[in-house]
Amino acid sequence: MAPFAELRAYADSFDLGALDSTDLAHVPFVVILIKAADRWAAEMGLEKKGLTYKQRKEILALVQQMAPAAGEENFDEAVEAVNTSCSDYVVSNDVNRILTDPAANTADAQTSNFWLLANALRRYVASEYGAGKMPHSGAIPDMKADTQSYVNLLRIYKQKAEQDKAELTQCLRKVVQEAALADDHVSAGEIDTFCKNASQLRLVRTHALHHEAETAPELWDNLVNEGVSEHYALFRAAGVFLEKHGRYPGIPDADTGAGDLDAQCEQDARELRAIAVDLMTAWGNKDPEVAESLVAEFVRSGYMELHNVAAVVGGIVAQETIKLITHQYVPQNGICIIDTANNLLAAVKA
């Protein structure tokens, strides 16, 4: 636990021992946590780095001892924050994937603003100023505190965020200069949004639908774990069936009469199941099984778009489209299978 200099100075301005119970109940939990960690380190003669679960439990117990009475909300908040706040700072795997991506090490006129910012962030994190940490977002959690303490703390966090943003902007200026772009190529608004969300960045790369249809499934193990591997195989098998017959299973031929439809559906079901088994075998599955009841449901539907199923799928697609357009929230990256007959929805992530 290593609070930045301004936060350290703010915490040091409090003398918890000199406060009465009323004032003590309004001290921000961040201050309580810093004080408890300092006291623990002094008593144990240890640094506040690489703390084990047992050591964090000792700090938690110390916070509880410092509370003037049980049930003090700000001390309870400090107790809840011990495990996360007293752990060593780690850049998330999602952000690391972006920082180590080759695109984050390039800068030219064709580079998108996102990758220019990612390049700047990589330099920021590696710099002496960044010291392996993300820019501060400026946000503070809700907490029990008097108005003045909360406002002071918010001001400190906002100032830190502005300082970090200014440092990242300097890194970005070097990047755009290397790319022979104008200093204001990336707008101030983009920089601000990027800094506020830097710790939550996610990179989602997808591939075209035809790629999925032409290759073995990359997420097969996940599909098996979610219990939808047979569904997936039948969807792929239906595509093979379409290429072979020019129609989906269960849809009557032009020459099929009403009385022959049941016989055709039975024949389609046998063929569809055989194709699915062959595909699963080609994907490396030993003794693949496809439930006849599931095959029958695929054929029975005849590729119809039932209104209730279409409503569910349409809602999901609309939601994911909005995520992609606005670049807000993380879109589903993988395979989503909906089986309304069995009340099953599986979203398998890449």
Side-chain angles (χ1 to χ4, degrees), residues 96-140:
N96 261 325
R97 275 193 284 271
I98 295 173
L99 298 182
T100 56
D101 193 287
N105 200 28
T106 58
D108 54 44
Q110 284 71 46
T111 305
S112 69
N113 285 6
F114 172 81
W115 285 114
L116 292 174
L117 286 162
N119 193 328
L121 180 62
R122 178 182 59 79
R123 301 181 188 205
Y124 172 96
V125 172
S127 70
E128 183 178 354
Y129 178 91
K133 297 182 179 180
M134 293 289 105
H136 203 288
S137 68
I140 62 174

Side-chain angles (χ1 to χ4, degrees), residues 212-224:
E212 182 72 28
E214 295 167 358
T215 60
E218 298 174 0
L219 305 176
W220 181 255
D221 290 341
N222 294 348
L223 291 165
V224 172

Side-chain angles (χ1 to χ4, degrees), residues 271-317:
E271 183 173 354
L272 182 66
R273 185 173 184 275
I275 294 172
V277 169
D278 288 344
L279 286 173
M280 294 168 75
T281 301
W283 298 335
N285 295 270
K286 296 180 179 179
D287 303 320
E289 290 290 336
V290 181
E292 292 185 4
S293 59
L294 189 58
V295 177
E297 196 64 30
F298 263 77
V299 175
R300 185 185 70 84
S301 67
Y303 202 65
M304 291 185 296
E305 296 182 3
L306 302 177
H307 63 279
N308 53 345
V309 180
V312 173
V313 174
I316 293 174
V317 171

